[in-house]
Amino acid sequence: MTLSAADPMVFLPAVDDPVLSGLRSGFEAHLAAALPKSRDAADLVVAAMREAALSPGKRIRPLLLLTATHALGRPASSVMDAACALELVHAASLVMDDLPCMDDASLRRGRPTLHRQFGEDVASLAVIGLLSQAFRLAAASPALEPGPRARLTVLLADAVGCQGLVGGQLRDLRCTEGARTARDAAVVNRCKTGALFRAALQGAAIAAGAQADVQDALGRCADDIGQAFQLLDDLKDDGALAPTGKDTHQDEGKTTLLSLLGRDTARRRLQRHLRRVEDALTALFPQEDVVLRLLRRGCGFDALGQAGARRNGAAPAQGSAAAAG
């Protein structure tokens, strides 16, 4: 079984991949310009917002929206505002997740968590500021027609709400109360981790005017990405894979898929999700593998490296993650 033990804290597409490199650089510039700027040294909330959003990160979720939109035949520039909104929601969720009343984390992306830098009061206000700016960007973007723009904004709101990040975080916090099953843990992962991946892939379908069946297929693929992403994160937290940039053993006392299934079964489950992602994206985008390239390079989903071989008619290498379990 091949799993990527290295997960760089800063995702930088290879210089020989002009599509990913161009999208990444354009996104970073747009994100910096989309945030308010501090008027003076006392403007701590704005400073905290910029620190939370612009600190080094892999930008997987916004780049997933950009690459999927590109793969569906619509210019990625049409969803650049939406991609920034998605990243601001993600940044807000990380700040909230780290607060003393939540996970009480001390490290995020290799830096002190926001409440350690600015105080819990400023960090809490920064969360509200980030969410407010996110919805302003999504709702006011001139690059999308009014209908798709409104639907994409609703999609983002649903990802934040009780069936998304909020609901997932509550379930995660209270998961020690009573017996939990692997199904319960998977529901937490779907809400807390999968929600923004669904917003990214289904948002691309909305922006590109794709048919409902394509949007549904992308939603299912996003669920598999979220489950795989969370299993990788659990393995890092447990020490089974090399952690990067944040506290480890934060899940002690929580009921996760890893704690319920054990490492070997969790790894096999991870491989099943990865195979489904590969198969779905290869079917959806038979002529364009930019989304697969992003996931391989940015998420540690190196099992998806077999997609190119399958597309060219070659058999997966023996012992590869794509062929395992």
Side-chain angles (χ1 to χ4, degrees), residues 288-314:
E288 175 60 83
D289 67 350
V290 64
V291 182
L292 287 167
R293 298 200 312 268
L294 169 67
L295 293 175
R296 289 199 300 268
R297 295 178 181 187
C299 288
F301 286 5
D302 61 346
L304 298 179
Q306 298 302 318
R310 288 187 179 184
R311 189 170 286 136
N312 294 326

Side-chain angles (χ1 to χ4, degrees), residues 277-287 292 311:
V277 171
E278 178 182 335
D279 291 344
L281 292 178
T282 302
L284 283 162
F285 309 126
Q287 305 301 322
L292 287 167
R311 189 170 286 136

